[in-house]
Amino acid sequence: MSSAHLLIIGDRAALSWVVTEQRMAFPAGRSQAAQALEEGDEIFVYTTRGCFRNPTRDLGRVIARARVASPVRVLEDPVVFGERSFTEGCRLEVSALARFREGLVLRDLVPWLAVFPDPATWSVRMRRASLTLPPGDADVVRAELEPWLLPYEEAVEGYR
């Protein structure tokens, strides 16, 4: 049985790479998060408030729906963003995407999501590469995200 996960992206260059290359990479030391993903799992891509370097203006948003398209493996050539090296990764199949800098504001759903047992401290759980969602939470995110989504080909250009 497949699982659902939030992939948490905190950098705009990394976001562009994830969306346009349809790949995900994990930094060294995050093997546990990487190994939680299995081929066929459902992915919701989340951009943090700081992803676009203006956390006072931007909100954390779920911006895409995807599936894990390959097993997570050690990368022959690590991916580098800034000073961080990402050593493990997998392919994604992004099926739908919100317009650039749009999407579902996650904090609005926090009181209804079991993955955040204490809504006052929910953002602490987002300081990781991925977060596994209970099935009921995945259903809520999926339903609330749907109105924001366009077919991948219609929205991807804004992320290049």
Side-chain angles (χ1 to χ4, degrees):
M1 180 177 201
S2 64
S3 296
H5 311 269
L6 283 175
L7 286 184
I8 302 162
I9 311 294
D11 177 82
R12 64 184 175 190
L15 173 64
S16 177
W17 181 83
V18 167
V19 170
T20 61
E21 296 295 321
Q22 297 196 60
R23 294 173 58 196
M24 182 61 190
F26 296 91
R30 299 285 184 173
S31 286
Q32 187 174 0
Q35 296 307 317
L37 302 180
E38 294 184 6
E39 195 168 353
D41 282 356
E42 184 174 24
I43 298 297
F44 299 105
V45 178
Y46 172 82
T47 58
T48 66
R49 286 181 40 205
C51 186
F52 300 104
R53 300 189 182 122
N54 193 343
T56 57
R57 180 192 63 201
D58 293 314
L59 300 171
R61 299 178 185 272
V62 181
I63 58 104
R65 185 180 60 227
R67 291 245 175 242
V68 176
S70 72
V72 174
R73 61 176 177 76
V74 173
L75 302 174
E76 285 183 32
D77 297 314
V79 179
V80 177
F81 295 106
E83 297 179 11
R84 294 187 73 189
S85 180
F86 296 75
T87 57
E88 294 182 80
C90 62
R91 287 186 302 109
L92 300 176
E93 290 175 2
V94 180
S95 58
L97 188 61
R99 285 183 169 80
F100 187 66
R101 292 182 98 150
E102 293 185 9
L104 174 66
V105 176
L106 186 63
R107 77 170 181 209
D108 295 344
L109 296 181
V110 166
W112 295 278
L113 299 177
V115 74
F116 304 116
D118 178 11
T121 61
W122 75 276
S123 63
V124 171
R125 299 205 45 146
M126 302 301 285
R127 295 180 184 148
R128 58 187 78 208
S130 70
L131 180 64
T132 302
L133 296 175
D137 288 2
D139 292 342
V140 170
V141 171
R142 191 179 305 109
E144 294 295 321
L145 177 61
E146 191 60 34
W148 292 98
L149 297 177
L150 298 171
Y152 175 79
E153 291 301 327
E154 288 182 31
V156 67
E157 194 57 39
Y159 291 85
R160 294 192 195 283

PDB file of all heavy atoms in Angstrom, residues 25 85 98:
ATOM      1  N   ALA A  25      15.948  15.282  -4.516  1.00  0.00           N
ATOM      2  CA  ALA A  25      17.237  14.918  -3.936  1.00  0.00           C
ATOM      3  C   ALA A  25      17.210  15.267  -2.455  1.00  0.00           C
ATOM      4  O   ALA A  25      16.536  16.205  -2.032  1.00  0.00           O
ATOM      5  CB  ALA A  25      18.368  15.648  -4.643  1.00  0.00           C
ATOM      6  N   SER A  85      25.026  19.860  -0.415  1.00  0.00           N
ATOM      7  CA  SER A  85      25.156  18.736  -1.342  1.00  0.00           C
ATOM      8  C   SER A  85      24.050  17.725  -1.051  1.00  0.00           C
ATOM      9  O   SER A  85      23.811  17.366   0.101  1.00  0.00           O
ATOM     10  CB  SER A  85      26.531  18.082  -1.156  1.00  0.00           C
ATOM     11  OG  SER A  85      26.675  17.011  -2.042  1.00  0.00           O
ATOM     12  N   ALA A  98       0.367  23.983  -9.389  1.00  0.00           N
ATOM     13  CA  ALA A  98      -0.254  25.307  -9.256  1.00  0.00           C
ATOM     14  C   ALA A  98       0.576  26.314 -10.046  1.00  0.00           C
ATOM     15  O   ALA A  98       1.757  26.090 -10.317  1.00  0.00           O
ATOM     16  CB  ALA A  98      -0.309  25.718  -7.788  1.00  0.00           C
TER      17      ALA A  98
END
